[in-house]
Structures are given as C-alpha cells and as structure tokens.
Amino acid sequence: MEVNEKFKELLCSVKEKKPLVHHITNYVTVNDCANIVLAVGGSPVMADDINEVEDMVSIASSLVINIGTLNSRTIEAMVKAGKRANKLGIPVVLDPVGVGATPYRKETALRLIKEIKFAVIRGNLAEIKILCGMNAASKGVDSEETLTDDAKEVAKVCAKNLNTVVAITGVNDYVSDGNKVMVLKNGTKMLTTVTGTGCMTTSLVGTYCGVTKDYLLAAAAGILTMSMSGEKAYEKLTEAEGSGNFRVRLIDEVFKLKGEDFMRRGSINEVC
C-alpha cells in the first residue's frame, strides 16, 4: 500500500474512533490545541491536576505533554501521567517547547525523557538538537538554526539515541524512527504568524497516535494535516485578510480535510 493511502486510512480511523487525547499542555495554546483535535475528529481533554491525571490517562487513547508554560506542579503531574500511560501501553507524545531557553526547561525535558518512554518527540531543529546533547541556537521558544538537509541526519541520529520517533518541523519536516526518514515538503510561511501552530501539530500527532501503533506514520500524518491545511487556508485568504483570518481558516481546513487530500497534495519522500 502506498504511503498516501495509509495516511488516508489513518484519517478515516480518527474520524471513526474519535480517540480521547489527554493533554498536559501550556495555557497559551490550550484552547487551540483542543479545537484542532476536535476539528480532525478526535476528542480532547485538558487535565493537569496531579490528583486526577492517572485516572484520566487510563481512559485515554494517547497523552500529549507540552512544556510550554512550566511550573513545578504540572511537572510532577506530567511524570505521574506519563508513567501510568507507559504501564498501560498508551502512547505519549512530547513537545519540548523552548527547551534551550533556560536550564530549568532543559532539566525538566531531560527528566521527562529519562522517566517516560515517548512514542514521538516533536520539536524544531534547535529543540531536538538540545535534547540530544548537540549545540544549537535558539531564541526563547524559536529556533535560530537554519533547516538544511543536515536535519535529516539529526532526526535519524536522535531517534536512535532517544529510542523514539523524532519529528523535526520547519520549512521542510523530517520524521525518523532511527532507520527510515520521511521528508515532508508541504506548508506555508503563514503558519509562523500564528501562535501555537507547533503545539497544535503535536496535538494532531497525538490524535493519530491514538489510532495506530505505527508512530512514524502517525507523526507524519499529524504534520501533514497541519501543513496541507495551512496551504489551503493561505490560498483562500483575500488581500484584506491577515493572520487572524488565517487562524480561523486553518482550523476550518483541518475540519474539512479528506483522505484524498493526502493523495492529491501531500509531498512526501521516504529515505531509507
């Protein structure tokens, strides 16, 4: 079966099964993450109190952990929920937002990786390099690394070292399980004008992880859902419209996404 056909089947599975995606995420983008999961066909829940995270993740299809707005209370909840998910075989996805911005963020991310087995880690090039102990340039939560074909090798090496699927998103996107690398070439610069498109992408990855054990495919499907929908949203903007209209249209396009869009629009290269 061609890879685009597999993406089509994954999207159908999401809409049929409506996976419950448990989030412990940041308060800047929490509403957008919930809406994007609903738009693609999943069911979001945002629960971060340490007294209920184990119970909540026990009924979920996947868990998304996002360190965008850290505090000591939610870190302990992340660890507790992640360990419970691991015990139950529920996939856990990590978004190491701004991991290089402060020592506290880096220490937290490394602790999470040490104590939790992640199905997918999605970040920009700087975030992924920092997690792997490589030198990287970042400013706040943004990468100052130039995304070149070297990112392909970074994705592969880091996936092997971290024993997970690694997804590096940027102008092009690189997804690897340590053996295979998928290079995705959809998207638009307008995605950088809206807060939280990275967080939303991670939520989409978590949604697809809730319906398959092929986490390489799930990560790529989540990224393509965002990048293709971004293209379609941008194409429909008028000259009088800007980033606010783009944000609304983006969610609309995720809602309207069809399996055939992967066949017609998806730009995917597999590299062994």
Side-chain angles (χ1 to χ4, degrees), residues 126-247:
E127 290 163 349
I128 297 301
K129 289 176 76 172
I130 289 166
L131 287 182
C132 292
M134 302 176 183
N135 292 325
S138 63
K139 181 175 68 175
V141 300
D142 297 319
S143 175
E144 291 192 319
E145 292 283 315
T146 302
L147 196 62
T148 66
D149 273 350
D150 291 343
K152 187 189 307 178
E153 189 63 24
V154 172
K156 186 175 179 180
V157 169
C158 290
K160 283 184 177 179
N161 290 348
L162 299 174
N163 190 29
T164 187
V165 170
V166 164
I168 298 174
T169 52
V171 177
N172 294 328
D173 308 302
Y174 301 86
V175 187
S176 180
D177 59 2
N179 294 305
K180 185 183 295 183
V181 181
M182 299 184 75
V183 183
L184 314 175
K185 296 186 177 182
N186 290 96
T188 168
K189 288 183 179 179
M190 279 296 292
L191 287 166
T192 66
T193 69
V194 177
T195 299
T197 51
C199 299
M200 287 187 273
T201 301
T202 303
S203 291
L204 289 169
V205 170
T207 306
Y208 284 106
C209 284
V211 297
T212 182
K213 296 297 184 184
D214 188 339
Y215 301 131
L216 179 73
L217 199 69
I223 293 167
L224 283 171
T225 295
M226 176 59 70
S227 58
M228 292 191 305
S229 297
E231 288 177 348
K232 293 168 72 178
Y234 176 66
E235 288 164 5
K236 293 180 180 179
L237 286 182
T238 68
E239 289 186 4
E241 294 176 326
S243 59
N245 293 98
F246 175 76
R247 174 181 169 275

Side-chain angles (χ1 to χ4, degrees), residues 44-63:
V45 60
M46 277 54 186
D48 63 10
D49 192 282
I50 198 166
N51 294 302
E52 72 167 350
V53 291
E54 286 186 308
D55 292 329
M56 190 63 76
V57 80
S58 297
I59 60 172
S61 301
S62 61
L63 170 65

